[in-house]
PDB file of all heavy atoms in Angstrom:
ATOM      1  N   TRP A 169    -162.486 219.145   1.132  1.00 98.00           N
ATOM      2  CA  TRP A 169    -161.444 219.084   2.151  1.00 98.00           C
ATOM      3  C   TRP A 169    -161.578 220.387   2.929  1.00 98.00           C
ATOM      4  O   TRP A 169    -161.346 221.458   2.363  1.00 98.00           O
ATOM      5  CB  TRP A 169    -160.101 218.927   1.467  1.00 98.00           C
ATOM      6  CG  TRP A 169    -158.916 219.057   2.360  1.00 98.00           C
ATOM      7  CD1 TRP A 169    -158.878 218.965   3.724  1.00 98.00           C
ATOM      8  CD2 TRP A 169    -157.579 219.297   1.941  1.00 98.00           C
ATOM      9  NE1 TRP A 169    -157.609 219.112   4.178  1.00 98.00           N
ATOM     10  CE2 TRP A 169    -156.782 219.331   3.106  1.00 98.00           C
ATOM     11  CE3 TRP A 169    -156.976 219.482   0.697  1.00 98.00           C
ATOM     12  CZ2 TRP A 169    -155.415 219.544   3.054  1.00 98.00           C
ATOM     13  CZ3 TRP A 169    -155.616 219.692   0.652  1.00 98.00           C
ATOM     14  CH2 TRP A 169    -154.852 219.718   1.823  1.00 98.00           C
ATOM     15  N   ASP A 197    -163.419 214.263   4.935  1.00 98.00           N
ATOM     16  CA  ASP A 197    -161.982 214.352   4.667  1.00 98.00           C
ATOM     17  C   ASP A 197    -161.233 214.341   6.013  1.00 98.00           C
ATOM     18  O   ASP A 197    -161.854 214.258   7.081  1.00 98.00           O
ATOM     19  CB  ASP A 197    -161.690 215.608   3.820  1.00 98.00           C
ATOM     20  CG  ASP A 197    -160.461 215.428   2.934  1.00 98.00           C
ATOM     21  OD1 ASP A 197    -159.470 214.849   3.416  1.00 98.00           O
ATOM     22  OD2 ASP A 197    -160.473 215.885   1.784  1.00 98.00           O
ATOM     23  N   ILE A 198    -159.922 214.469   5.955  1.00 98.00           N
ATOM     24  CA  ILE A 198    -159.076 214.216   7.140  1.00 98.00           C
ATOM     25  C   ILE A 198    -159.467 214.936   8.421  1.00 98.00           C
ATOM     26  O   ILE A 198    -159.082 214.498   9.504  1.00 98.00           O
ATOM     27  CB  ILE A 198    -157.593 214.535   6.832  1.00 98.00           C
ATOM     28  CG1 ILE A 198    -157.458 215.881   6.108  1.00 98.00           C
ATOM     29  CG2 ILE A 198    -156.975 213.429   6.020  1.00 98.00           C
ATOM     30  CD1 ILE A 198    -156.015 216.312   5.909  1.00 98.00           C
ATOM     31  N   ILE A 234    -162.512 209.232   5.077  1.00 99.00           N
ATOM     32  CA  ILE A 234    -161.229 208.945   4.417  1.00 99.00           C
ATOM     33  C   ILE A 234    -160.341 208.152   5.382  1.00 99.00           C
ATOM     34  O   ILE A 234    -160.439 208.334   6.605  1.00 99.00           O
ATOM     35  CB  ILE A 234    -160.547 210.288   4.040  1.00 99.00           C
ATOM     36  CG1 ILE A 234    -159.441 210.130   3.009  1.00 99.00           C
ATOM     37  CG2 ILE A 234    -159.969 210.985   5.266  1.00 99.00           C
ATOM     38  CD1 ILE A 234    -158.949 211.473   2.424  1.00 99.00           C
ATOM     39  N   TRP A 271    -149.904 214.122   6.569  1.00 98.00           N
ATOM     40  CA  TRP A 271    -150.770 215.068   7.284  1.00 98.00           C
ATOM     41  C   TRP A 271    -150.617 215.031   8.805  1.00 98.00           C
ATOM     42  O   TRP A 271    -150.581 216.087   9.454  1.00 98.00           O
ATOM     43  CB  TRP A 271    -152.256 214.859   6.945  1.00 98.00           C
ATOM     44  CG  TRP A 271    -152.598 214.906   5.483  1.00 98.00           C
ATOM     45  CD1 TRP A 271    -153.183 213.915   4.775  1.00 98.00           C
ATOM     46  CD2 TRP A 271    -152.392 215.980   4.555  1.00 98.00           C
ATOM     47  NE1 TRP A 271    -153.362 214.289   3.461  1.00 98.00           N
ATOM     48  CE2 TRP A 271    -152.889 215.552   3.296  1.00 98.00           C
ATOM     49  CE3 TRP A 271    -151.831 217.259   4.648  1.00 98.00           C
ATOM     50  CZ2 TRP A 271    -152.852 216.350   2.161  1.00 98.00           C
ATOM     51  CZ3 TRP A 271    -151.799 218.050   3.512  1.00 98.00           C
ATOM     52  CH2 TRP A 271    -152.298 217.593   2.294  1.00 98.00           C
ATOM     53  N   TRP A 305    -162.941 205.924   1.660  1.00 98.00           N
ATOM     54  CA  TRP A 305    -161.986 206.183   0.561  1.00 98.00           C
ATOM     55  C   TRP A 305    -160.582 206.133   1.142  1.00 98.00           C
ATOM     56  O   TRP A 305    -160.285 206.777   2.151  1.00 98.00           O
ATOM     57  CB  TRP A 305    -162.280 207.460  -0.205  1.00 98.00           C
ATOM     58  CG  TRP A 305    -162.619 208.726   0.551  1.00 98.00           C
ATOM     59  CD1 TRP A 305    -163.496 208.858   1.578  1.00 98.00           C
ATOM     60  CD2 TRP A 305    -162.110 210.041   0.298  1.00 98.00           C
ATOM     61  NE1 TRP A 305    -163.564 210.176   1.982  1.00 98.00           N
ATOM     62  CE2 TRP A 305    -162.727 210.923   1.204  1.00 98.00           C
ATOM     63  CE3 TRP A 305    -161.192 210.567  -0.632  1.00 98.00           C
ATOM     64  CZ2 TRP A 305    -162.461 212.298   1.236  1.00 98.00           C
ATOM     65  CZ3 TRP A 305    -160.931 211.929  -0.603  1.00 98.00           C
ATOM     66  CH2 TRP A 305    -161.565 212.774   0.319  1.00 98.00           C
ATOM     67  N   ASP A 307    -156.707 206.903   1.008  1.00 98.00           N
ATOM     68  CA  ASP A 307    -155.919 207.964   0.369  1.00 98.00           C
ATOM     69  C   ASP A 307    -154.436 207.885   0.743  1.00 98.00           C
ATOM     70  O   ASP A 307    -154.043 207.147   1.644  1.00 98.00           O
ATOM     71  CB  ASP A 307    -156.503 209.325   0.787  1.00 98.00           C
ATOM     72  CG  ASP A 307    -155.933 210.464  -0.056  1.00 98.00           C
ATOM     73  OD1 ASP A 307    -155.424 210.194  -1.162  1.00 98.00           O
ATOM     74  OD2 ASP A 307    -155.999 211.621   0.389  1.00 98.00           O
ATOM     75  N   MET A 308    -153.646 208.678   0.039  1.00 98.00           N
ATOM     76  CA  MET A 308    -152.216 208.875   0.290  1.00 98.00           C
ATOM     77  C   MET A 308    -151.459 207.547   0.249  1.00 98.00           C
ATOM     78  O   MET A 308    -150.453 207.361   0.924  1.00 98.00           O
ATOM     79  CB  MET A 308    -151.990 209.564   1.645  1.00 98.00           C
ATOM     80  CG  MET A 308    -152.794 210.835   1.863  1.00 98.00           C
ATOM     81  SD  MET A 308    -152.537 212.103   0.608  1.00 98.00           S
ATOM     82  CE  MET A 308    -151.114 212.947   1.263  1.00 98.00           C
ATOM     83  N   ARG A 403    -157.058 205.793  -3.923  1.00 98.00           N
ATOM     84  CA  ARG A 403    -156.376 206.699  -4.838  1.00 98.00           C
ATOM     85  C   ARG A 403    -155.362 205.909  -5.660  1.00 98.00           C
ATOM     86  O   ARG A 403    -155.390 205.911  -6.869  1.00 98.00           O
ATOM     87  CB  ARG A 403    -155.712 207.857  -4.089  1.00 98.00           C
ATOM     88  CG  ARG A 403    -155.299 208.952  -5.042  1.00 98.00           C
ATOM     89  CD  ARG A 403    -154.884 210.210  -4.337  1.00 98.00           C
ATOM     90  NE  ARG A 403    -153.588 210.089  -3.703  1.00 98.00           N
ATOM     91  CZ  ARG A 403    -152.945 211.110  -3.152  1.00 98.00           C
ATOM     92  NH1 ARG A 403    -153.491 212.318  -3.144  1.00 98.00           N
ATOM     93  NH2 ARG A 403    -151.770 210.940  -2.590  1.00 98.00           N
ATOM     94  N   TRP A 416    -160.927 206.836  -7.349  1.00 98.00           N
ATOM     95  CA  TRP A 416    -161.222 208.143  -7.928  1.00 98.00           C
ATOM     96  C   TRP A 416    -159.903 208.626  -8.491  1.00 98.00           C
ATOM     97  O   TRP A 416    -158.834 208.112  -8.122  1.00 98.00           O
ATOM     98  CB  TRP A 416    -161.855 209.095  -6.907  1.00 98.00           C
ATOM     99  CG  TRP A 416    -160.950 210.022  -6.168  1.00 98.00           C
ATOM    100  CD1 TRP A 416    -160.733 211.340  -6.429  1.00 98.00           C
ATOM    101  CD2 TRP A 416    -160.148 209.717  -5.008  1.00 98.00           C
ATOM    102  NE1 TRP A 416    -159.866 211.872  -5.512  1.00 98.00           N
ATOM    103  CE2 TRP A 416    -159.483 210.899  -4.633  1.00 98.00           C
ATOM    104  CE3 TRP A 416    -159.918 208.550  -4.272  1.00 98.00           C
ATOM    105  CZ2 TRP A 416    -158.604 210.960  -3.550  1.00 98.00           C
ATOM    106  CZ3 TRP A 416    -159.047 208.609  -3.195  1.00 98.00           C
ATOM    107  CH2 TRP A 416    -158.413 209.797  -2.850  1.00 98.00           C
ATOM    108  N   ASP A 419    -156.130 214.184  -7.495  1.00 98.00           N
ATOM    109  CA  ASP A 419    -156.168 215.648  -7.416  1.00 98.00           C
ATOM    110  C   ASP A 419    -156.062 216.303  -8.791  1.00 98.00           C
ATOM    111  O   ASP A 419    -154.990 216.774  -9.190  1.00 98.00           O
ATOM    112  CB  ASP A 419    -155.033 216.149  -6.515  1.00 98.00           C
ATOM    113  CG  ASP A 419    -155.161 215.602  -5.111  1.00 98.00           C
ATOM    114  OD1 ASP A 419    -156.226 215.034  -4.789  1.00 98.00           O
ATOM    115  OD2 ASP A 419    -154.203 215.741  -4.327  1.00 98.00           O
ATOM    116  N   PHE A 452    -160.381 219.552  -8.267  1.00 98.00           N
ATOM    117  CA  PHE A 452    -159.926 219.577  -6.871  1.00 98.00           C
ATOM    118  C   PHE A 452    -159.135 220.840  -6.564  1.00 98.00           C
ATOM    119  O   PHE A 452    -159.492 221.633  -5.704  1.00 98.00           O
ATOM    120  CB  PHE A 452    -159.074 218.329  -6.615  1.00 98.00           C
ATOM    121  CG  PHE A 452    -158.456 218.266  -5.251  1.00 98.00           C
ATOM    122  CD1 PHE A 452    -159.225 217.946  -4.142  1.00 98.00           C
ATOM    123  CD2 PHE A 452    -157.085 218.500  -5.074  1.00 98.00           C
ATOM    124  CE1 PHE A 452    -158.645 217.882  -2.877  1.00 98.00           C
ATOM    125  CE2 PHE A 452    -156.510 218.431  -3.813  1.00 98.00           C
ATOM    126  CZ  PHE A 452    -157.292 218.125  -2.712  1.00 98.00           C
ATOM    127  N   HIS A 477    -165.795 217.343  -5.386  1.00 98.00           N
ATOM    128  CA  HIS A 477    -164.790 217.430  -4.308  1.00 98.00           C
ATOM    129  C   HIS A 477    -163.793 218.525  -4.644  1.00 98.00           C
ATOM    130  O   HIS A 477    -163.459 218.734  -5.813  1.00 98.00           O
ATOM    131  CB  HIS A 477    -164.070 216.091  -4.176  1.00 98.00           C
ATOM    132  CG  HIS A 477    -162.998 216.066  -3.108  1.00 98.00           C
ATOM    133  ND1 HIS A 477    -163.226 216.474  -1.814  1.00 98.00           N
ATOM    134  CD2 HIS A 477    -161.697 215.664  -3.137  1.00 98.00           C
ATOM    135  CE1 HIS A 477    -162.108 216.333  -1.095  1.00 98.00           C
ATOM    136  NE2 HIS A 477    -161.171 215.834  -1.877  1.00 98.00           N
TER     137      HIS A 477
HETATM  138  C1  LIG B 701    -155.204 214.340  -0.967  1.00 53.63           C
HETATM  139  C2  LIG B 701    -156.433 213.722  -1.628  1.00 53.63           C
HETATM  140  C3  LIG B 701    -157.567 214.713  -1.564  1.00 53.63           C
HETATM  141  C4  LIG B 701    -157.840 215.107  -0.120  1.00 53.63           C
HETATM  142  C5  LIG B 701    -156.577 215.651   0.530  1.00 53.63           C
HETATM  143  C6  LIG B 701    -156.748 215.889   2.018  1.00 53.63           C
HETATM  144  O1  LIG B 701    -154.730 215.414  -1.686  1.00 53.63           O
HETATM  145  O2  LIG B 701    -156.155 213.345  -2.939  1.00 53.63           O
HETATM  146  O3  LIG B 701    -158.724 214.183  -2.154  1.00 53.63           O
HETATM  147  O4  LIG B 701    -158.842 216.057  -0.066  1.00 53.63           O
HETATM  148  O5  LIG B 701    -155.509 214.736   0.358  1.00 53.63           O
HETATM  149  O6  LIG B 701    -157.070 214.716   2.664  1.00 53.63           O
END
Side-chain angles (χ1 to χ4, degrees):
W169 171 18
D197 209 319
I198 46 174
I234 197 169
W271 305 121
W305 45 313
D307 192 20
M308 309 303 273
R403 194 169 74 172
W416 94 100
D419 300 348
F452 176 75
H477 179 51

